[in-house]
Amino acid sequence: MKDLLVIGSRGSKLALTQAQIVKEQIQLLYPSLQISIEVIKTSGDVKTDPLSVIGGKGVFTKELEDALVGRRIDVAVHSLKDLPTIVPEGLAIAAICKREDPRDALVLPIRLSPAKSAVNINSLPRQATVGTSSPRRLAQLKHWRPDLVFKDLRGNVDTRMRKLDEGQYDALVLACAGLRRLRLENRISTALTTQEMLPAVGQGALAIEVRSDDELTTSVIAKLDHKFTRVACVAERAFLRRLGGGCQLPIAAHAVVREKRIRLSGLVADPEGKQVVRDRISGPLDEAEELGSRLAEQLLANGASELLGEHDSVPI
C-alpha cells in the first residue's frame, strides 16, 4: 500500500473543490493514506485571451499531464470535458467519477427574483446581453435566439457572478455541475434541458488520470470509477473522436443510460448557429464506443461533413 498520494489540480476554486472531492472519496476507502494536493498552473489559467483564441482541448490539461509523466504528481484530476479524446502514451484514465448534473444553467443577476423576471432563454428580452465563453453554447444560443447580444466571459465563477450582479451582463450560461460543486445551486435560475442546450462531451464528469505503469495507484483510483458514467462518456468521447477529436467546430453530445441501453444525442453547428446538424442513436451498453462512432457518421452524412470542411479554422 502507498504511504502518500499526490493529487495534481489546477488552482481555481472549482478545480481545487473537485480535487478535494476526489481526495475525500479516496480517504473514505483508505483512511490511513496520506494525500496532498499539488497546484499546477496550466496555459489556460495563465492566458487572458478568449478560449476561442487560445485553443480548445488540452489547454487546461497539458501541464497536469506533464507533471504526471514527470512524477511530480501521482494522479491528475480533470473536468472530463477539458480532456482530449486521445490520452497520451504512458497515461490512462483510471476512473471517471459519478457524474454531476450535466446540464447548462441560465444564471440571472441576484437582484432579480425568478418570479418577477425571465426564467428561461425564450423569455429574455430582445437585445439582452448574455455572457458565455463557450463556442458550443454560443452557437446553440445564436441558433435559438439570434436577437440576443453575446459577450465573451472569462474569469473564475466568483468573478463571473460579480460581473453579472454589477450589470455587465443580463444573464450568464454556466455549467450546473460547477455551480453545484461550489454550493451555488441557489444561483441557478433554470437548468436548461438537453433539448434546449446539448452539453459538452463529458460535461459534469471528473476524470482521474494516472501513469499506466503505476499499478498500485491505478488499483486505488479504479475503485472510484462509476460504471454507467464511464459507459456514457465512452460513447460521447467516441463521437467526438470520430469527428476529429480536436476539430474546430462547436460540438456537443450527451448520453443517458437507461435499462441497460444507451441513448446518445449529438450535435455539430457552425459558429454562428445558422446551421445545426443534430441526431441521436441508441443501443446496448457493450456497444458504447461503436454507437458514438455511428452517430458521428450519421451527422457527417447529414451535413456535418460540409460544416467541418468549411469552418476548420474556428476553435471548438
Side-chain angles (χ1 to χ4, degrees):
M1 184 63 201
K2 295 176 71 77
D3 296 321
L4 174 66
L5 187 76
V6 182
I7 297 174
S9 170
R10 294 169 56 203
S12 71
K13 185 177 180 181
L14 177 57
L16 289 170
T17 297
Q18 293 175 166
Q20 184 64 32
I21 289 170
V22 169
K23 177 182 177 180
E24 290 171 1
Q25 290 180 359
I26 300 170
Q27 207 82 74
L28 284 173
L29 295 169
Y30 301 93
S32 62
L33 180 60
Q34 296 297 309
I35 305 173
S36 65
I37 296 175
E38 178 89 9
V39 173
I40 308 291
K41 281 190 176 181
T42 71
S43 55
D45 298 314
V46 175
K47 295 179 180 178
T48 58
D49 292 323
L51 293 179
S52 58
V53 174
I54 64 176
K57 296 289 182 183
V59 71
F60 291 117
T61 61
K62 184 181 182 301
E63 287 80 3
L64 281 162
E65 290 181 326
D66 290 345
L68 195 53
V69 170
R71 301 182 181 273
R72 178 178 170 187
I73 59 176
D74 299 305
V75 303
V77 176
H78 306 283
S79 292
L80 183 59
K81 66 182 179 64
D82 294 332
L83 200 60
T85 58
I86 304 297
V87 177
E89 186 176 353
L91 300 181
I93 299 174
I96 299 177
C97 302
K98 186 176 181 180
R99 199 173 210 165
E100 236 309 351
D101 190 336
R103 296 174 295 175
D104 287 300
L106 180 68
V107 181
L108 300 175
I110 198 167
R111 67 181 182 278
L112 298 179
S113 164
K116 300 177 182 178
S117 62
V119 293
N120 59 49
I121 296 293
N122 282 331
S123 53
L124 286 175
R126 290 178 61 84
Q127 300 300 305
T129 299
V130 179
T132 177
S133 59
S134 162
R136 170 191 60 84
R137 292 177 183 136
L138 184 60
Q140 293 184 74
L141 288 167
K142 284 184 173 181
H143 183 74
W144 186 2
R145 287 289 307 272
D147 59 295
L148 297 175
V149 175
F150 300 102
K151 187 176 174 183
D152 192 63
L153 182 66
R154 288 299 307 272
N156 59 38
V157 173
D158 289 340
T159 298
R160 296 178 184 199
M161 292 296 192
R162 175 180 55 76
K163 290 178 178 180
L164 173 68
D165 294 335
E166 288 174 351
Q168 297 183 39
Y169 303 88
D170 297 308
L172 306 180
V173 179
L174 303 171
C176 284
L179 294 170
R180 292 187 186 283
R181 287 178 180 136
L182 291 171
R183 299 185 179 180
L184 294 172
E185 300 97 328
N186 62 315
R187 295 305 308 264
I188 299 175
S189 300
T190 189
L192 304 175
T193 68
T194 55
Q195 186 60 40
E196 294 170 326
M197 177 72 69
L198 202 61
V201 167
Q203 184 159 306
L206 298 181
I208 310 178
E209 198 172 23
V210 301
R211 290 183 294 277
S212 52
D213 64 356
D214 187 347
E215 296 180 5
L216 193 53
T217 298
T218 299
S219 67
V220 170
I221 299 302
K223 291 182 170 60
L224 275 59
D225 194 60
H226 186 258
K227 176 184 175 181
F228 293 146
T229 297
R230 178 178 281 271
V231 168
C233 291
V234 163
E236 294 170 18
R237 284 167 64 80
F239 169 78
L240 179 59
R241 188 182 304 112
R242 175 61 188 87
L243 292 172
C247 72
Q248 306 298 297
L249 278 180
I251 292 175
H254 178 56
V256 177
V257 176
R258 292 282 187 275
E259 298 179 352
K260 298 183 180 181
R261 289 182 67 82
I262 306 171
R263 186 182 71 232
L264 174 65
S265 299
L267 173 154
V268 179
D270 82 278
E272 296 303 315
K274 294 177 181 177
Q275 291 179 271
V276 174
V277 183
R278 181 170 179 156
D279 209 340
R280 68 181 182 181
I281 196 171
S282 62
L285 297 187
D286 60 1
E287 295 181 9
E289 185 115 18
E290 180 185 343
L291 287 168
S293 297
R294 280 168 47 196
L295 180 59
E297 295 286 356
Q298 288 177 200
L299 266 63
L300 288 168
N302 292 335
S305 181
E306 288 78 8
L307 287 177
L308 289 165
E310 292 172 4
H311 299 277
D312 59 359
S313 63
V314 181
I316 191 171

